[in-house]
């Protein structure tokens, strides 16, 4: 079966590719040592050596052909190298069979044409290897190559052409051919050094082996030229091993240079370090030595001009280097600078934090402030992003005067800034944070409008409790959100030993895991009763998180983390599923609906009606088994979209309820436009309704307004019978609170449903079914 060379490419180091290499090396060993059968007679022995000599070239060419068939990127290089070896073999055959047998051996001969043509494919191979390793040439690369070529040319002309110039007497053809060989070697050496200067000193086995082979070839030529000038060269001597060794190294380079489909490793885009400047610098020094050694003496003009050209090109390369270094520093500075504010960015901040943490100690602590602007979103939404950008640009100039020269103010992104304070304790950092907050709270003029924005600042210290960049940022982040939640403006991070892993960021990640589990989240149920007859008419589902290490967490600990992590929507989906699964357990016997709270993310979710409909079908429940509660402020982000979603839910038959009524700032407008079936009075209006006449009046008129609009009214926070009786007398329809029952697990609620119904104010002995 025949195999195409391309189909064999993915198979590295196939035995078929090894065989020609082994034959090449074997022929070289036999020629060098004389081991093996040798025919009798000087002529046959000489012919045997010639066969071995040419076998090294022939088998080397076969290795290159095999590599060319199996390569992609370096294919042209190996074809060129194979052609060069083939030309040399042809020249040897012509010289041995034709030229050497002539009575008067001519010079130049036909064999010299093939010997000189041998160099051209070598040039092509070197250029091809550059093209496969450099994807994009820069001016500095070209100049490095020119410096290398001119420097190598200057040295080689001074060494090689000196003896050759002594052979200038004779016919023009003889002189031209005699000079063509050292000139070809000079060009080859210059090209080889140029390749090295462009690519730099690198661990590329292919290039190193090929370079070693070419150098061996050049060494042989230099020695041969010297011996030929003295007319003492003898064929078949040890000198022949330099050429054969060079061919073997080139064949090995071709064999080792079969990288398969991925191709050779390209040159890195960033050319920095001693590996890049080593060869150009050496060539420049060599050129200066050539000029210095020949000063005052007769120096070959070509070598002198090449050396001068190398030095001048090196000066141009130096100018290019200065420009590249300046551009590199500018790019580096841009990479470390926030484009909008001109302040150091996150990258620059973290680099500086690492440096400060490396020297921070208990005697020389460091502090870190994390600043988050409050109200920035409203500026963007109302005045546009250009106004927000203008505001952000004013933060740096306003805060900078309050900082020390060694303090670092940076922008992390969005409306977050950070201040790194080397050699500063917590007390000093807290005072500075308060000062920075005062500066931010001053009015800021944006497009002629005086604006007031707030700021929440978290303060953390190092090396205790934070010893790494990540820990320092996490501690400051936790403190900043604590300042935001508590509206204190500034908060210093203090580890909470009770919560263990209760930091906000870790809680967020653990919540993600909990949403994927089936047993960590659950709902507690709090009953709602009719104030007229005490019947159970509903229950509210309140989520609980049974944390594996921190125990049962309430919504107060769970919901902030869910909001900050963007998990409110999946959390509400999970609560809805758990709530409907609970209702399905009692609905057939006791049609008591469940109320589930919605966030702003849920209310504006156009897919919510479809999700609810599918969940109801999945649990075999009618739409009236579910009431969805929302806080009136949740519709502020997109009122029209929210009304569309709630309208779809009502068309399904699902009831909607406005939770915490009375705590917002546009309640009447919402009652007019919002599709709702129920109002839930916040406990701030109901807990002292029995002792505060003004509160009673507000509740009375709110009840009247709700009833006139056809909306039922639920009183939350009913903690005793007296309050319940007052609310009943004021017209409230339903009560919910500790006076009735505390939130309880589903199993306990099922037991509670079986208990006798009780009117508000009726004693235990008067309970009835």
């Amino acid at each position: 079966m025949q195999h195409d060379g391309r189909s064999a490419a993915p198979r590295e180091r196939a035995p078929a590719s090894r065989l020609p290499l082994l034959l090449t090396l074997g022929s070289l060993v036999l020629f060098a040592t004389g081991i093996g059968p040798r025919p009798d007679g000087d002529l046959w022995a000489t012919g045997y050596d010639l066969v071995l000599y040419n076998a090294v070239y022939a088998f080397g060419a076969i290795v290159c052909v095999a590599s060319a068939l199996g390569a992609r990127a370096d294919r042209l290089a190996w074809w060129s190298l194979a052609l060069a070896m083939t030309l040399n073999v042809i020249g040897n055959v012509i010289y041995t069979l034709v030229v050497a047998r002539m009575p008067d051996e001519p010079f130049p001969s036909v064999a010299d044409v093939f010997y000189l043509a041998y160099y051209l494919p070598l040039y092509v191979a070197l250029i091809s290897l550059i093209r496969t390793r450099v994807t994009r040439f820069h001016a500095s690369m070209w100049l490095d190559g020119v410096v290398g070529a001119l420097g190598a040319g200057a040295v080689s002309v001074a060494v090689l052409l000196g003896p050759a110039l002594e052979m200038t007497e004779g016919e023009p053809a003889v002189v031209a051919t005699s000079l063509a060989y050292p000139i070809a070697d000079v060009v080859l050496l210059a090209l080889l050094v140029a390749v090295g200067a462009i690519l730099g000193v690198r661990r590329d086995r292919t290039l190193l082996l090929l370079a070693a082979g070419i150098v061996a070839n050049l060494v042989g030529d230099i020695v041969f030229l010297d011996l030929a000038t003295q007319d003492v060269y003898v064929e078949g001597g040890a000198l022949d091993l330099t050429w054969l060794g060079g061919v073997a190294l080139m064949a090995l380079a071709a064999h080792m240079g079969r990288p398969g489909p991925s191709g050779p490793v390209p040159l890195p885009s960033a050319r920095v370090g001693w590996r890049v400047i080593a060869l150009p610098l050496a060539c420049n020094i060599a050129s200066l030595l050539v000029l210095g050694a020949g000063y005052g003496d007769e120096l070959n003009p070509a070598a002198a001009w090449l050396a001068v050209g190398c030095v001048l090109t090196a000066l141009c390369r130096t100018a290019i280097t200065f420009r590249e270094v300046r551009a590199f520093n500018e790019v580096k500075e841009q990479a470390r600078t926030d484009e909008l504010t001109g302040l150091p960015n996150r990258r620059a901040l973290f680099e500086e934090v690492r440096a400060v943490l490396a020297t921070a100690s208990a005697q020389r602590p460091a502090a870190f402030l994390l600043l988050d602007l409050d109200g920035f979103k409203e500026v963007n939404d109302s005045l546009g992003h250009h106004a927000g950008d203008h505001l952000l640009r004013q933060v740096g100039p306003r805060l900078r005067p309050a900082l020390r020269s060694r303090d670092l103010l940076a922008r992390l992104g969005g409306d977050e800034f950070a201040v790194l304070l080397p050699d500063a304790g917590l007390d000093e950092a807290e005072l500075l944070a308060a000062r920075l907050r005062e500066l931010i709270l001053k009015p800021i003029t944006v497009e002629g409008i005086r604006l007031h924005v707030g700021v929440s600042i978290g303060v953390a210290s190092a090396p205790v409790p934070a010893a790494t960049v990540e820990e320092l940022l996490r501690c400051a982040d936790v403190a900043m959100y604590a300042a935001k939640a508590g509206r204190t403006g500034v908060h210093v991070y203090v580890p909470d030993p009770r919560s263990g892993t209760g930091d906000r960021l870790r809680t967020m990640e653990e919540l993600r895991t909990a949403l994927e589990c089936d047993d960590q989240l659950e709902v507690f149920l709090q009953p709602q009763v009719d104030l007229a007859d005490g019947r159970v008419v509903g229950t509210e589902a309140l989520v609980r998180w049974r944390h594996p290490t921190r125990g049962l967490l309430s919504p107060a600990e769970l919901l902030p983390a869910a909001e900050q992590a963007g998990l409110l929507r999946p959390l509400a989906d999970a609560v809805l599923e758990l709530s409907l699964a609970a209702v399905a357990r009692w609905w057939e016997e006791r049609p008591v609906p469940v109320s589930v709270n919605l966030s702003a993310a849920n209310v504006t979710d156009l897919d919510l009606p479809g999700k609810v409909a599918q969940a109801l079908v999945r649990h075999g429940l009618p739409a009236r088994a579910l009431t969805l509660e929302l806080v009136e402020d949740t519709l502020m982000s997109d009122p029209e979209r929210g009304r569309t979603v709630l309208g779809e839910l009502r068309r399904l038959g699902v009831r909607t309820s406005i939770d915490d009524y009375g705590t917002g700032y546009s309640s009447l407008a919402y009652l007019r436009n919002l599709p709702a079936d129920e109002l839930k009075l916040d406990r701030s209006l109901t807990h002292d309704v029995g002792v505060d006449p003004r509160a009673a009046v507000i509740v009375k008129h709110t009840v009247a307004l709700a009833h006139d609009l056809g909306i039922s009214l639920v009183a939350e926070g009913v903690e005793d019978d007296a309050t319940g009786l007052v609310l009943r007398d004021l017209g409230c329809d339903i009560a919910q609170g500790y006076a009735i029952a505390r939130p309880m697990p589903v199993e306990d609620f099922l037991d509670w449903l079986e208990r006798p119904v009780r009117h508000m104010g009726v004693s235990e002995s008067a309970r009835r079914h």
Side-chain angles (χ1 to χ4, degrees):
M1 180 181 296
Q2 294 182 348
H3 294 276
D4 182 71
R6 296 180 182 179
S7 64
R11 183 178 299 176
E12 289 192 30
R13 315 290 187 266
S17 68
R18 288 198 187 101
L19 180 60
L21 179 64
L22 294 176
L23 293 174
T24 301
L25 298 177
S27 300
L28 174 61
V29 171
L30 291 176
F31 181 87
T33 61
I35 299 175
R38 304 179 67 83
D40 295 333
D42 292 339
L43 179 62
W44 284 104
T46 302
Y48 178 75
D49 288 338
L50 290 174
V51 169
L52 291 177
Y53 184 91
N54 288 297
V56 176
Y57 280 90
F59 289 129
I62 295 174
V63 172
C64 295
V65 170
S67 296
L69 293 175
R72 291 185 180 181
D74 289 338
R75 180 174 298 176
L76 178 59
W78 307 137
W79 278 119
S80 301
L81 204 57
L83 177 59
M85 294 179 184
T86 303
L87 290 173
N88 202 293
V89 170
I90 295 174
N92 286 337
V93 172
I94 293 176
Y95 178 81
T96 301
L97 299 181
V98 179
V99 178
R101 295 186 178 186
M102 292 182 179
D104 294 324
E105 186 174 318
F107 182 81
S109 66
V110 177
D112 290 303
V113 175
F114 291 94
Y115 289 147
L116 290 174
Y118 162 81
Y119 289 94
L120 296 178
L122 282 182
Y123 301 157
V124 174
L126 285 174
I127 295 173
S128 174
L129 289 174
I130 297 178
R131 294 299 304 170
T132 59
R133 284 159 175 78
V134 181
T135 57
R136 180 184 177 187
F137 280 94
H138 304 283
S140 60
M141 292 182 179
W142 289 115
L143 290 176
D144 285 341
V146 172
V147 169
L150 293 176
V155 174
S156 58
V157 165
V159 175
L160 291 177
L161 287 187
L165 289 176
E166 298 178 5
M167 304 170 58
T168 57
E169 296 181 359
E171 298 180 2
V174 174
V175 174
T177 305
S178 299
L179 291 176
Y181 282 104
I183 290 175
D185 284 332
V186 168
V187 174
L188 181 60
L189 178 61
L191 187 58
L192 177 63
V193 176
V195 171
I198 291 175
L199 299 180
V201 180
R202 55 187 297 190
R203 296 177 181 176
D204 189 323
R205 292 182 302 176
T206 301
L207 290 177
L208 292 176
L209 288 171
L210 183 60
I214 293 176
V215 169
N217 188 84
L218 292 172
V219 169
D221 288 348
I222 293 173
V223 176
F224 169 77
L225 182 62
D226 183 61
L227 296 178
T229 303
Q230 301 176 29
D231 198 21
V232 294
Y233 171 70
V234 178
E235 294 184 8
L239 180 60
D240 292 351
L241 293 177
T242 59
W243 293 309
L244 295 181
V247 172
L249 288 172
M250 294 180 193
L252 184 59
H255 178 73
M256 299 297 292
R258 299 185 62 208
S262 60
V265 178
L267 186 69
S269 58
R271 300 176 72 248
V272 294
W274 68 269
R275 296 177 182 273
V276 175
I277 66 172
L279 278 177
L281 180 61
C283 291
N284 194 39
I285 294 175
S287 297
L288 293 174
L289 292 176
V290 168
L291 292 174
Y295 182 77
D297 299 326
E298 186 176 349
L299 178 63
N300 186 290
W305 283 112
L306 288 172
V308 170
C310 177
V311 173
L312 294 177
T313 306
L315 292 177
C316 294
R317 175 65 174 93
T318 303
I320 293 292
T321 300
F322 281 125
R323 190 181 70 178
E324 288 182 342
V325 169
R326 185 171 60 251
F328 175 77
N329 288 332
E330 290 177 357
V331 171
K332 184 179 179 181
E333 186 64 25
Q334 291 174 1
R336 302 176 75 254
T337 303
D338 178 63
E339 183 179 2
L340 177 63
T341 63
L343 296 173
N345 60 10
R346 178 184 290 264
R347 182 198 301 257
L349 174 67
F350 284 5
E351 290 177 359
E352 189 66 23
V353 170
R354 291 187 184 94
V356 170
L357 289 179
T359 59
S361 63
Q363 292 72 31
R364 297 183 57 191
F368 185 82
L369 311 182
L370 182 61
L371 297 78
D372 185 85
L373 300 182
D374 300 329
F376 178 74
K377 183 178 183 300
E378 285 70 17
V379 174
N380 266 343
D381 293 343
S382 58
L383 299 180
H385 289 281
H386 61 284
D389 292 345
H390 185 67
L391 188 153
L392 292 174
R393 282 192 289 267
Q394 296 190 47
V395 172
R398 177 166 291 196
L399 299 184
R400 185 70 257 183
L403 302 177
R404 303 170 300 180
S405 59
R406 61 180 181 272
D407 297 337
L408 179 66
L409 171 64
R411 181 185 177 215
L412 290 178
D415 60 349
E416 284 191 338
F417 295 82
V419 179
L420 176 64
L421 305 173
D423 298 328
L426 273 180
D427 293 339
E428 183 181 351
E430 188 174 9
L431 290 175
L432 177 62
R435 173 62 179 153
L436 297 181
R437 181 170 181 267
E438 291 176 0
L439 294 174
I440 292 292
L441 292 178
K442 292 182 179 180
I444 297 178
T445 302
V446 176
E447 298 183 351
I449 302 175
R450 285 169 57 88
L451 299 176
H452 290 80
V453 293
V455 64
S456 298
I457 305 177
V459 183
S461 62
V464 178
T468 66
V469 177
E470 293 75 15
E471 291 176 354
L472 189 63
L473 182 63
R474 178 174 60 84
C475 293
D477 191 61
V478 170
M480 184 270 291
Y481 273 98
K484 189 179 292 288
R487 301 182 183 273
T488 58
V490 177
H491 187 86
V492 177
Y493 178 83
V494 177
D496 184 0
R498 296 172 303 171
S499 61
T501 59
D503 290 341
R504 185 185 64 86
L505 294 179
R506 191 169 301 177
T507 300
M508 289 162 52
E509 292 305 314
E510 292 173 344
L511 180 57
R512 295 181 192 276
T513 303
L515 287 170
E516 299 173 359
C517 300
D518 296 330
D519 57 350
Q520 290 194 26
L521 294 179
E522 57 186 84
V523 291
F524 275 37
L525 303 171
Q526 186 172 33
Q528 300 170 340
V529 299
D530 191 317
L531 282 172
D533 55 18
R535 290 181 301 106
V536 181
V537 294
T539 183
E540 181 177 4
L542 303 170
V543 66
R544 296 289 189 271
W545 181 9
R546 198 167 293 280
H547 195 279
T549 59
R550 297 164 59 190
L552 191 65
L553 302 184
S554 68
E557 298 170 282
L558 166 61
L559 295 180
E563 181 178 5
Q564 292 152 17
L567 298 175
L568 284 178
R569 185 174 293 181
L571 178 62
D573 293 342
V575 173
L576 176 64
E577 190 70 21
L578 291 171
S579 302
L580 293 181
V583 175
R585 299 180 61 180
W586 68 70
W587 184 260
E588 292 296 331
E589 299 180 2
R590 301 285 296 271
V592 176
V594 67
S595 298
V596 177
N597 290 277
L598 296 180
S599 67
N602 299 110
V603 175
T604 56
D605 182 8
L606 295 177
D607 295 330
L608 179 63
K611 293 179 182 178
V612 171
Q614 293 175 6
L616 290 170
V617 172
R618 191 162 49 248
H619 292 283
L621 295 171
R624 59 190 179 90
L626 176 65
T627 299
L628 295 176
E629 298 184 3
L630 65 147
V631 180
E632 49 189 305
D633 294 347
T634 58
L635 289 179
M636 286 297 294
S637 59
D638 194 345
E640 293 300 325
R641 189 170 183 175
R643 280 193 288 269
T644 300
V645 172
L646 294 180
E648 291 294 329
L649 290 170
R650 294 194 73 193
R651 277 188 285 273
L652 289 175
V654 175
R655 288 167 50 84
T656 57
S657 174
I658 300 177
D659 197 10
D660 297 337
Y661 182 80
T663 60
Y665 44 82
S666 55
S667 303
L668 295 179
Y670 274 97
L671 286 179
R672 177 182 178 183
N673 300 311
L674 187 64
D677 302 285
E678 179 181 274
L679 289 184
K680 298 188 72 173
L681 279 178
D682 186 72
R683 70 179 306 277
S684 61
L685 294 177
T686 61
H687 78 284
D688 58 353
V689 69
V691 296
D692 186 352
R694 296 174 64 87
V697 171
I698 293 174
V699 171
K700 177 180 179 181
H701 288 284
T702 302
V703 170
L705 177 62
H707 288 169
D708 288 342
L709 293 174
I711 300 174
S712 61
L713 197 139
V714 179
E716 292 186 299
V718 181
E719 298 184 359
D720 53 66
D721 284 0
T723 300
L725 291 174
V726 173
L727 290 170
R728 183 190 63 184
D729 295 339
L730 291 174
C732 291
D733 302 300
I734 300 169
Q736 177 182 342
Y738 287 176
I740 299 153
R742 293 176 177 270
M744 63 191 80
V746 175
E747 295 295 336
D748 293 346
F749 180 76
L750 290 172
D751 294 337
W752 188 89
L753 280 177
E754 300 301 324
R755 297 179 183 179
V757 176
R758 180 176 74 89
H759 288 286
M760 284 287 176
V762 178
S763 63
E764 287 288 329
S765 60
R767 287 185 183 180
R768 63 176 180 83
H769 289 279

